[in-house]
Amino acid sequence: MSVTEEIRNFVVENFLFGDEAGLTDDSSFIKEGIVDSTGILQLVSYLQERYRIAVDDEELTPENLDSVRRVAAFVEVKRGRVAAGA
Amino acid sequence: MNGCVHHFLENSASRRPDKVALVHDGERVTYRRLDRTASRIAAFLIERGVQPEDRIVLLLGNGVQYVASYYGILKAGAVAVPLNLQTGPEALTRLCEELQPAGIIMEREGALLRTPLQFLPSVRFVLFADAAAPAGEGGAWGWDQALKGEELPPEGRPVADTSLASIIYTSGSTGAPKGVMLSHANIVSNTRSIVEYLHLTEDDVQMVVLPFFYVMGKSLLNTHVAVGGTVVINNNFAYSASVLRQMAEEGVTGFSGVPSTYAYLLHRSPLASFRDRLPALRYCTQAGGHMAREIKERLMQVLPAHTKLFVMYGATEAAARLTYVEPERLAEKIGSIGKAIPGVTVRVLGPAGEELAEGESGELVASGPNIMLGYWGDLEATARVLDRNGYHTGDMGYRDGDGYLYVTGRKDHLLKVGGHRVDPQEIEDVLMSSGLLLETAVLGVDDALLGTRLVALAAPLEGAADHLALLAHCRAKLPRHKIPAEIRLVSLLPKHPSGKVDRASCLVICGAAPTTTS
């Protein structure tokens, strides 16, 4: 399963009670009321555990985290850095 | 004549028409534009047949349209009823039956709304804030069409300051939410008191992350509009770094939150690294429930040295604010809710309504021009909390030798465990003092043997806590009957959209149906 699919599944299971109707990879979590601030922290904990990345407080921004596509891209960049030893 | 809530906007618009009133998502709205939009909304409502004291339901997120609608409703002499955006279809139908609103202003068409439209004869129109909706068909209006008409001239519809301005639903820590009826005079007097003790001026720029449908969010709006200040709306508090960045960019002078807002800022945001980037931040205010001492102390360390922390106390029934602690005395009176705000009296009363001496514990009872008219359509509930002594807050507490008030817990949160009266707040404070937790809630769960069993839901700071360490901490600080029978670790506590802990949902997590406690 790709990172995008995994994140999508996480969001659908944890925030949409399994109902993925209407969720696109670009849906804004906050604007569309999919995830609240509690949920964002749950998502961040999931990313840290599942992908073994550290998410810095400075990185809690909509640019990094506000849609399935953005989260996936963020994870890929962070993992790339881990792999490169940076 | 004290004036009406919408006069705040009209006065600021005539004094400083070009001043920026609102900043939201890159949009900057001047007082002139905001006032004119509100006047168009008012004219639209009157055109639709809205009569004085008719209820208009507002189902909008924080934004320019919310603010224009709110003041527009008031200008038309109608009653603004902002509802929690997360109100589900069933609850909305029930509320609409209770309110018999003349109209609804909401974000976008959803399944939600067909029900009241179809079945409630009182609803004459629904105004959609997204511009694309049709014009007038079947009572549905789009924002742009609604704003095409004339503006309501100033005093186009005279409104008495004694009339009902708003009904705000309480989040209801126990029982069903109740609609708190606030008059123009209630809100205006409270707004003036807050402006006075926070020393707000037109130079103030407030960052608002709390919803406007919650009474504290409403206060932030009215106080800043009253002084001609600027309100920065940021609905992205979940992304705390972007909120802090905007506070730095906009030169924000004031920030406000409930306890969970500050727990989040301290532990899940880059607040510490912004210490040098917030030179304009004059003060922070906290209300919306008891905040643990550890969080207050950490905040005083982490916030910039020039930023004052105001700990405050209030209730929806008081149009928001009742007391505050002067920042200069916060360290010394760290557990206190302070003294009454200007124009308000808060006394500690015994069961027979007698005033208690210093140190004696009783119920906090408030009186003043800010106290609500009553609960909408519920004379019984009104009679339970309003009497000749004023508003019975349901909070238990005492007064110290300097006249500072302390809340020890809520009357209806008191638990009876094995014959002892237990106040969950005391146990929550002890758990927080371990320094291992982000937040916690102590609940009474029905138990066949004990009657009630104490369960603590606890959210640890990252990787910091195990329940044994927490139990050991409780054992060292609490008598045996106050030690939770179980400490359950969770990642976070469920919250209301206001950020307050949702105790009913906490009970569900504990595997119990919500119970009434006494």
Side-chain angles (χ1 to χ4, degrees), chain A residues 29-68:
Chain A
F29 292 155
I30 295 292
K31 282 205 181 108
E32 302 196 13
I34 298 166
V35 183
D36 61 7
S37 56
T38 315
I40 295 299
L41 293 188
Q42 264 173 276
L43 174 67
V44 169
S45 309
Y46 170 75
L47 299 180
Q48 303 197 124
E49 277 167 35
R50 174 72 187 81
Y51 303 107
R52 307 248 159 243
I53 55 173
V55 179
D56 198 49
D57 289 337
E58 296 266 6
E59 292 169 326
L60 293 172
T61 64
E63 293 76 27
N64 291 334
L65 298 168
D66 200 41
S67 69
V68 169

mmCIF file of all heavy atoms in Angstrom, chain A residues 29-68:
data_model
loop_
_atom_site.group_PDB
_atom_site.id
_atom_site.type_symbol
_atom_site.label_atom_id
_atom_site.label_comp_id
_atom_site.label_asym_id
_atom_site.label_seq_id
_atom_site.Cartn_x
_atom_site.Cartn_y
_atom_site.Cartn_z
ATOM 1 N N PHE A 29 -8.674 19.174 5.666
ATOM 2 C CA PHE A 29 -9.163 18.527 6.885
ATOM 3 C C PHE A 29 -9.940 19.503 7.763
ATOM 4 O O PHE A 29 -10.978 19.168 8.316
ATOM 5 C CB PHE A 29 -7.989 17.963 7.708
ATOM 6 C CG PHE A 29 -7.277 16.812 7.050
ATOM 7 C CD1 PHE A 29 -5.954 16.533 7.369
ATOM 8 C CD2 PHE A 29 -7.925 16.003 6.123
ATOM 9 C CE1 PHE A 29 -5.291 15.467 6.779
ATOM 10 C CE2 PHE A 29 -7.265 14.933 5.524
ATOM 11 C CZ PHE A 29 -5.936 14.668 5.854
ATOM 12 N N ILE A 30 -9.406 20.701 7.903
ATOM 13 C CA ILE A 30 -10.014 21.646 8.833
ATOM 14 C C ILE A 30 -11.230 22.323 8.208
ATOM 15 O O ILE A 30 -12.304 22.332 8.785
ATOM 16 C CB ILE A 30 -8.974 22.720 9.266
ATOM 17 C CG1 ILE A 30 -7.845 22.055 10.062
ATOM 18 C CG2 ILE A 30 -9.638 23.822 10.071
ATOM 19 C CD1 ILE A 30 -8.245 21.503 11.413
ATOM 20 N N LYS A 31 -11.064 22.864 6.992
ATOM 21 C CA LYS A 31 -12.177 23.600 6.381
ATOM 22 C C LYS A 31 -13.387 22.721 6.187
ATOM 23 O O LYS A 31 -14.514 23.155 6.300
ATOM 24 C CB LYS A 31 -11.751 24.195 5.033
ATOM 25 C CG LYS A 31 -10.914 25.439 5.204
ATOM 26 C CD LYS A 31 -10.981 26.351 4.002
ATOM 27 C CE LYS A 31 -10.094 27.559 4.245
ATOM 28 N NZ LYS A 31 -8.881 27.542 3.437
ATOM 29 N N GLU A 32 -13.167 21.453 5.859
ATOM 30 C CA GLU A 32 -14.310 20.577 5.613
ATOM 31 C C GLU A 32 -14.747 19.852 6.879
ATOM 32 O O GLU A 32 -15.591 18.958 6.840
ATOM 33 C CB GLU A 32 -13.972 19.612 4.484
ATOM 34 C CG GLU A 32 -13.613 20.421 3.244
ATOM 35 C CD GLU A 32 -13.631 19.641 1.944
ATOM 36 O OE1 GLU A 32 -14.154 18.520 1.939
ATOM 37 O OE2 GLU A 32 -13.100 20.174 0.970
ATOM 38 N N GLY A 33 -14.149 20.239 7.989
ATOM 39 C CA GLY A 33 -14.610 19.685 9.272
ATOM 40 C C GLY A 33 -14.317 18.202 9.437
ATOM 41 O O GLY A 33 -14.996 17.503 10.175
ATOM 42 N N ILE A 34 -13.295 17.697 8.724
ATOM 43 C CA ILE A 34 -12.990 16.265 8.799
ATOM 44 C C ILE A 34 -12.217 15.952 10.079
ATOM 45 O O ILE A 34 -12.481 14.975 10.772
ATOM 46 C CB ILE A 34 -12.173 15.839 7.549
ATOM 47 C CG1 ILE A 34 -13.011 16.066 6.294
ATOM 48 C CG2 ILE A 34 -11.705 14.393 7.661
ATOM 49 C CD1 ILE A 34 -12.232 16.020 4.998
ATOM 50 N N VAL A 35 -11.273 16.819 10.407
ATOM 51 C CA VAL A 35 -10.399 16.577 11.544
ATOM 52 C C VAL A 35 -10.348 17.860 12.381
ATOM 53 O O VAL A 35 -10.262 18.945 11.828
ATOM 54 C CB VAL A 35 -8.964 16.239 11.049
ATOM 55 C CG1 VAL A 35 -8.054 15.916 12.210
ATOM 56 C CG2 VAL A 35 -8.989 15.073 10.067
ATOM 57 N N ASP A 36 -10.434 17.741 13.704
ATOM 58 C CA ASP A 36 -10.269 18.929 14.548
ATOM 59 C C ASP A 36 -8.858 18.932 15.141
ATOM 60 O O ASP A 36 -8.028 18.097 14.782
ATOM 61 C CB ASP A 36 -11.343 18.985 15.638
ATOM 62 C CG ASP A 36 -11.265 17.778 16.565
ATOM 63 O OD1 ASP A 36 -10.307 16.976 16.438
ATOM 64 O OD2 ASP A 36 -12.152 17.631 17.414
ATOM 65 N N SER A 37 -8.597 19.875 16.071
ATOM 66 C CA SER A 37 -7.216 19.993 16.532
ATOM 67 C C SER A 37 -6.771 18.735 17.289
ATOM 68 O O SER A 37 -5.617 18.336 17.227
ATOM 69 C CB SER A 37 -7.034 21.242 17.396
ATOM 70 O OG SER A 37 -7.934 21.237 18.467
ATOM 71 N N THR A 38 -7.717 18.089 17.969
ATOM 72 C CA THR A 38 -7.391 16.834 18.638
ATOM 73 C C THR A 38 -6.969 15.800 17.604
ATOM 74 O O THR A 38 -5.987 15.077 17.774
ATOM 75 C CB THR A 38 -8.651 16.320 19.381
ATOM 76 O OG1 THR A 38 -9.234 17.394 20.070
ATOM 77 C CG2 THR A 38 -8.322 15.220 20.323
ATOM 78 N N GLY A 39 -7.732 15.771 16.518
ATOM 79 C CA GLY A 39 -7.461 14.805 15.458
ATOM 80 C C GLY A 39 -6.101 15.021 14.808
ATOM 81 O O GLY A 39 -5.414 14.055 14.459
ATOM 82 N N ILE A 40 -5.710 16.286 14.653
ATOM 83 C CA ILE A 40 -4.411 16.558 14.029
ATOM 84 C C ILE A 40 -3.297 15.934 14.876
ATOM 85 O O ILE A 40 -2.348 15.338 14.360
ATOM 86 C CB ILE A 40 -4.181 18.080 13.860
ATOM 87 C CG1 ILE A 40 -5.188 18.678 12.871
ATOM 88 C CG2 ILE A 40 -2.754 18.380 13.408
ATOM 89 C CD1 ILE A 40 -5.129 18.131 11.456
ATOM 90 N N LEU A 41 -3.444 16.033 16.202
ATOM 91 C CA LEU A 41 -2.417 15.432 17.071
ATOM 92 C C LEU A 41 -2.412 13.912 16.955
ATOM 93 O O LEU A 41 -1.359 13.281 16.970
ATOM 94 C CB LEU A 41 -2.642 15.846 18.526
ATOM 95 C CG LEU A 41 -2.415 17.325 18.817
ATOM 96 C CD1 LEU A 41 -2.475 17.577 20.306
ATOM 97 C CD2 LEU A 41 -1.079 17.795 18.258
ATOM 98 N N GLN A 42 -3.620 13.338 16.828
ATOM 99 C CA GLN A 42 -3.699 11.890 16.629
ATOM 100 C C GLN A 42 -2.987 11.509 15.343
ATOM 101 O O GLN A 42 -2.250 10.530 15.292
ATOM 102 C CB GLN A 42 -5.159 11.463 16.500
ATOM 103 C CG GLN A 42 -5.793 10.972 17.776
ATOM 104 C CD GLN A 42 -7.276 10.750 17.544
ATOM 105 O OE1 GLN A 42 -8.056 11.689 17.631
ATOM 106 N NE2 GLN A 42 -7.675 9.534 17.219
ATOM 107 N N LEU A 43 -3.238 12.312 14.308
ATOM 108 C CA LEU A 43 -2.610 12.052 13.013
ATOM 109 C C LEU A 43 -1.090 12.137 13.135
ATOM 110 O O LEU A 43 -0.358 11.275 12.636
ATOM 111 C CB LEU A 43 -3.133 13.070 11.989
ATOM 112 C CG LEU A 43 -2.498 13.047 10.611
ATOM 113 C CD1 LEU A 43 -2.843 11.750 9.871
ATOM 114 C CD2 LEU A 43 -2.975 14.240 9.768
ATOM 115 N N VAL A 44 -0.626 13.168 13.851
ATOM 116 C CA VAL A 44 0.826 13.348 13.994
ATOM 117 C C VAL A 44 1.440 12.168 14.765
ATOM 118 O O VAL A 44 2.486 11.635 14.376
ATOM 119 C CB VAL A 44 1.141 14.700 14.683
ATOM 120 C CG1 VAL A 44 2.599 14.781 15.088
ATOM 121 C CG2 VAL A 44 0.802 15.854 13.745
ATOM 122 N N SER A 45 0.758 11.717 15.826
ATOM 123 C CA SER A 45 1.270 10.556 16.571
ATOM 124 C C SER A 45 1.362 9.338 15.659
ATOM 125 O O SER A 45 2.323 8.571 15.715
ATOM 126 C CB SER A 45 0.350 10.171 17.726
ATOM 127 O OG SER A 45 0.066 11.254 18.498
ATOM 128 N N TYR A 46 0.331 9.179 14.831
ATOM 129 C CA TYR A 46 0.328 8.048 13.902
ATOM 130 C C TYR A 46 1.520 8.134 12.950
ATOM 131 O O TYR A 46 2.235 7.151 12.746
ATOM 132 C CB TYR A 46 -0.990 8.025 13.124
ATOM 133 C CG TYR A 46 -1.020 7.060 11.967
ATOM 134 C CD1 TYR A 46 -1.148 5.687 12.181
ATOM 135 C CD2 TYR A 46 -0.916 7.510 10.657
ATOM 136 C CE1 TYR A 46 -1.164 4.790 11.117
ATOM 137 C CE2 TYR A 46 -0.935 6.634 9.590
ATOM 138 C CZ TYR A 46 -1.055 5.276 9.812
ATOM 139 O OH TYR A 46 -1.067 4.401 8.755
ATOM 140 N N LEU A 47 1.757 9.318 12.409
ATOM 141 C CA LEU A 47 2.869 9.483 11.452
ATOM 142 C C LEU A 47 4.194 9.156 12.126
ATOM 143 O O LEU A 47 5.062 8.489 11.550
ATOM 144 C CB LEU A 47 2.926 10.927 10.925
ATOM 145 C CG LEU A 47 1.704 11.446 10.166
ATOM 146 C CD1 LEU A 47 1.934 12.889 9.723
ATOM 147 C CD2 LEU A 47 1.379 10.571 8.969
ATOM 148 N N GLN A 48 4.342 9.626 13.377
ATOM 149 C CA GLN A 48 5.617 9.418 14.078
ATOM 150 C C GLN A 48 5.866 7.929 14.325
ATOM 151 O O GLN A 48 6.971 7.451 14.156
ATOM 152 C CB GLN A 48 5.620 10.211 15.387
ATOM 153 C CG GLN A 48 5.383 11.693 15.131
ATOM 154 C CD GLN A 48 5.771 12.595 16.280
ATOM 155 O OE1 GLN A 48 6.565 13.501 16.103
ATOM 156 N NE2 GLN A 48 5.194 12.374 17.444
ATOM 157 N N GLU A 49 4.790 7.230 14.702
ATOM 158 C CA GLU A 49 4.962 5.805 14.986
ATOM 159 C C GLU A 49 5.095 4.980 13.716
ATOM 160 O O GLU A 49 5.985 4.149 13.589
ATOM 161 C CB GLU A 49 3.754 5.282 15.784
ATOM 162 C CG GLU A 49 3.891 5.555 17.261
ATOM 163 C CD GLU A 49 2.582 5.335 18.002
ATOM 164 O OE1 GLU A 49 1.824 4.421 17.608
ATOM 165 O OE2 GLU A 49 2.324 6.094 18.957
ATOM 166 N N ARG A 50 4.197 5.239 12.780
ATOM 167 C CA ARG A 50 4.136 4.387 11.592
ATOM 168 C C ARG A 50 5.365 4.577 10.706
ATOM 169 O O ARG A 50 5.888 3.624 10.162
ATOM 170 C CB ARG A 50 2.854 4.721 10.815
ATOM 171 C CG ARG A 50 2.680 4.050 9.469
ATOM 172 C CD ARG A 50 2.362 2.573 9.629
ATOM 173 N NE ARG A 50 2.338 1.854 8.359
ATOM 174 C CZ ARG A 50 3.418 1.421 7.738
ATOM 175 N NH1 ARG A 50 4.612 1.616 8.268
ATOM 176 N NH2 ARG A 50 3.318 0.778 6.587
ATOM 177 N N TYR A 51 5.823 5.831 10.567
ATOM 178 C CA TYR A 51 6.910 6.086 9.610
ATOM 179 C C TYR A 51 8.241 6.410 10.274
ATOM 180 O O TYR A 51 9.202 6.778 9.619
ATOM 181 C CB TYR A 51 6.501 7.205 8.639
ATOM 182 C CG TYR A 51 5.229 6.884 7.901
ATOM 183 C CD1 TYR A 51 4.040 7.526 8.216
ATOM 184 C CD2 TYR A 51 5.205 5.893 6.918
ATOM 185 C CE1 TYR A 51 2.855 7.199 7.566
ATOM 186 C CE2 TYR A 51 4.026 5.562 6.268
ATOM 187 C CZ TYR A 51 2.854 6.211 6.601
ATOM 188 O OH TYR A 51 1.690 5.877 5.967
ATOM 189 N N ARG A 52 8.244 6.317 11.615
ATOM 190 C CA ARG A 52 9.488 6.563 12.372
ATOM 191 C C ARG A 52 10.103 7.914 12.006
ATOM 192 O O ARG A 52 11.293 8.017 11.731
ATOM 193 C CB ARG A 52 10.511 5.450 12.138
ATOM 194 C CG ARG A 52 9.979 4.093 12.397
ATOM 195 C CD ARG A 52 10.637 3.466 13.634
ATOM 196 N NE ARG A 52 9.795 2.408 14.160
ATOM 197 C CZ ARG A 52 9.235 2.404 15.358
ATOM 198 N NH1 ARG A 52 9.444 3.394 16.186
ATOM 199 N NH2 ARG A 52 8.488 1.407 15.758
ATOM 200 N N ILE A 53 9.241 8.923 11.947
ATOM 201 C CA ILE A 53 9.765 10.265 11.677
ATOM 202 C C ILE A 53 9.466 11.128 12.897
ATOM 203 O O ILE A 53 8.556 10.816 13.670
ATOM 204 C CB ILE A 53 9.092 10.913 10.429
ATOM 205 C CG1 ILE A 53 7.561 10.920 10.587
ATOM 206 C CG2 ILE A 53 9.510 10.184 9.170
ATOM 207 C CD1 ILE A 53 6.827 11.681 9.506
ATOM 208 N N ALA A 54 10.231 12.178 13.087
ATOM 209 C CA ALA A 54 9.948 13.115 14.172
ATOM 210 C C ALA A 54 9.284 14.340 13.560
ATOM 211 O O ALA A 54 9.798 14.911 12.599
ATOM 212 C CB ALA A 54 11.238 13.511 14.860
ATOM 213 N N VAL A 55 8.122 14.707 14.107
ATOM 214 C CA VAL A 55 7.446 15.911 13.616
ATOM 215 C C VAL A 55 7.676 17.021 14.633
ATOM 216 O O VAL A 55 7.282 16.921 15.790
ATOM 217 C CB VAL A 55 5.935 15.657 13.411
ATOM 218 C CG1 VAL A 55 5.250 16.936 12.932
ATOM 219 C CG2 VAL A 55 5.716 14.518 12.427
ATOM 220 N N ASP A 56 8.345 18.053 14.151
ATOM 221 C CA ASP A 56 8.686 19.180 15.009
ATOM 222 C C ASP A 56 7.455 20.078 15.198
ATOM 223 O O ASP A 56 6.608 20.159 14.307
ATOM 224 C CB ASP A 56 9.798 19.950 14.283
ATOM 225 C CG ASP A 56 10.532 20.845 15.222
ATOM 226 O OD1 ASP A 56 10.919 20.356 16.295
ATOM 227 O OD2 ASP A 56 10.695 22.033 14.889
ATOM 228 N N ASP A 57 7.374 20.762 16.356
ATOM 229 C CA ASP A 57 6.242 21.686 16.575
ATOM 230 C C ASP A 57 6.134 22.731 15.461
ATOM 231 O O ASP A 57 5.050 23.147 15.079
ATOM 232 C CB ASP A 57 6.396 22.404 17.924
ATOM 233 C CG ASP A 57 6.153 21.460 19.095
ATOM 234 O OD1 ASP A 57 5.462 20.439 18.899
ATOM 235 O OD2 ASP A 57 6.661 21.742 20.193
ATOM 236 N N GLU A 58 7.303 23.171 14.970
ATOM 237 C CA GLU A 58 7.325 24.178 13.898
ATOM 238 C C GLU A 58 6.680 23.657 12.613
ATOM 239 O O GLU A 58 6.322 24.424 11.733
ATOM 240 C CB GLU A 58 8.773 24.585 13.568
ATOM 241 C CG GLU A 58 9.509 25.260 14.702
ATOM 242 C CD GLU A 58 9.427 26.778 14.636
ATOM 243 O OE1 GLU A 58 8.695 27.289 13.773
ATOM 244 O OE2 GLU A 58 10.097 27.436 15.461
ATOM 245 N N GLU A 59 6.573 22.343 12.524
ATOM 246 C CA GLU A 59 6.037 21.757 11.287
ATOM 247 C C GLU A 59 4.524 21.541 11.326
ATOM 248 O O GLU A 59 3.939 21.026 10.390
ATOM 249 C CB GLU A 59 6.753 20.430 11.007
ATOM 250 C CG GLU A 59 8.205 20.657 10.645
ATOM 251 C CD GLU A 59 9.027 19.384 10.607
ATOM 252 O OE1 GLU A 59 8.763 18.463 11.412
ATOM 253 O OE2 GLU A 59 9.945 19.315 9.777
ATOM 254 N N LEU A 60 3.898 21.951 12.451
ATOM 255 C CA LEU A 60 2.429 21.825 12.559
ATOM 256 C C LEU A 60 1.765 22.948 11.768
ATOM 257 O O LEU A 60 1.291 23.934 12.322
ATOM 258 C CB LEU A 60 1.997 21.894 14.026
ATOM 259 C CG LEU A 60 2.430 20.735 14.918
ATOM 260 C CD1 LEU A 60 2.104 21.027 16.376
ATOM 261 C CD2 LEU A 60 1.744 19.449 14.485
ATOM 262 N N THR A 61 1.776 22.824 10.458
ATOM 263 C CA THR A 61 1.202 23.854 9.597
ATOM 264 C C THR A 61 0.253 23.201 8.591
ATOM 265 O O THR A 61 0.403 22.019 8.279
ATOM 266 C CB THR A 61 2.283 24.605 8.793
ATOM 267 O OG1 THR A 61 2.904 23.674 7.908
ATOM 268 C CG2 THR A 61 3.341 25.222 9.697
ATOM 269 N N PRO A 62 -0.717 23.990 8.096
ATOM 270 C CA PRO A 62 -1.623 23.416 7.090
ATOM 271 C C PRO A 62 -0.873 22.984 5.837
ATOM 272 O O PRO A 62 -1.266 22.014 5.189
ATOM 273 C CB PRO A 62 -2.603 24.552 6.789
ATOM 274 C CG PRO A 62 -2.164 25.746 7.543
ATOM 275 C CD PRO A 62 -1.115 25.338 8.515
ATOM 276 N N GLU A 63 0.210 23.697 5.504
ATOM 277 C CA GLU A 63 0.980 23.341 4.305
ATOM 278 C C GLU A 63 1.459 21.890 4.390
ATOM 279 O O GLU A 63 1.504 21.166 3.410
ATOM 280 C CB GLU A 63 2.198 24.257 4.125
ATOM 281 C CG GLU A 63 1.869 25.712 3.801
ATOM 282 C CD GLU A 63 1.383 26.512 5.024
ATOM 283 O OE1 GLU A 63 1.753 26.157 6.161
ATOM 284 O OE2 GLU A 63 0.585 27.456 4.837
ATOM 285 N N ASN A 64 1.824 21.457 5.593
ATOM 286 C CA ASN A 64 2.332 20.098 5.756
ATOM 287 C C ASN A 64 1.232 19.062 5.984
ATOM 288 O O ASN A 64 1.409 17.896 5.658
ATOM 289 C CB ASN A 64 3.291 20.031 6.950
ATOM 290 C CG ASN A 64 4.585 20.778 6.685
ATOM 291 O OD1 ASN A 64 4.983 20.936 5.526
ATOM 292 N ND2 ASN A 64 5.227 21.250 7.731
ATOM 293 N N LEU A 65 0.139 19.493 6.605
ATOM 294 C CA LEU A 65 -0.754 18.484 7.201
ATOM 295 C C LEU A 65 -2.217 18.576 6.834
ATOM 296 O O LEU A 65 -3.022 17.784 7.326
ATOM 297 C CB LEU A 65 -0.634 18.573 8.739
ATOM 298 C CG LEU A 65 0.748 18.276 9.327
ATOM 299 C CD1 LEU A 65 0.785 18.689 10.800
ATOM 300 C CD2 LEU A 65 1.087 16.799 9.203
ATOM 301 N N ASP A 66 -2.619 19.529 5.974
ATOM 302 C CA ASP A 66 -4.060 19.756 5.856
ATOM 303 C C ASP A 66 -4.795 18.983 4.762
ATOM 304 O O ASP A 66 -5.923 19.316 4.436
ATOM 305 C CB ASP A 66 -4.379 21.254 5.748
ATOM 306 C CG ASP A 66 -5.833 21.537 6.115
ATOM 307 O OD1 ASP A 66 -6.309 20.928 7.082
ATOM 308 O OD2 ASP A 66 -6.486 22.325 5.416
ATOM 309 N N SER A 67 -4.165 17.983 4.154
ATOM 310 C CA SER A 67 -4.924 17.105 3.248
ATOM 311 C C SER A 67 -4.146 15.799 3.130
ATOM 312 O O SER A 67 -2.981 15.720 3.524
ATOM 313 C CB SER A 67 -5.094 17.742 1.863
ATOM 314 O OG SER A 67 -3.849 17.794 1.182
ATOM 315 N N VAL A 68 -4.804 14.793 2.600
ATOM 316 C CA VAL A 68 -4.139 13.499 2.429
ATOM 317 C C VAL A 68 -2.877 13.680 1.581
ATOM 318 O O VAL A 68 -1.794 13.197 1.922
ATOM 319 C CB VAL A 68 -5.109 12.495 1.762
ATOM 320 C CG1 VAL A 68 -4.361 11.235 1.336
ATOM 321 C CG2 VAL A 68 -6.259 12.170 2.704
#
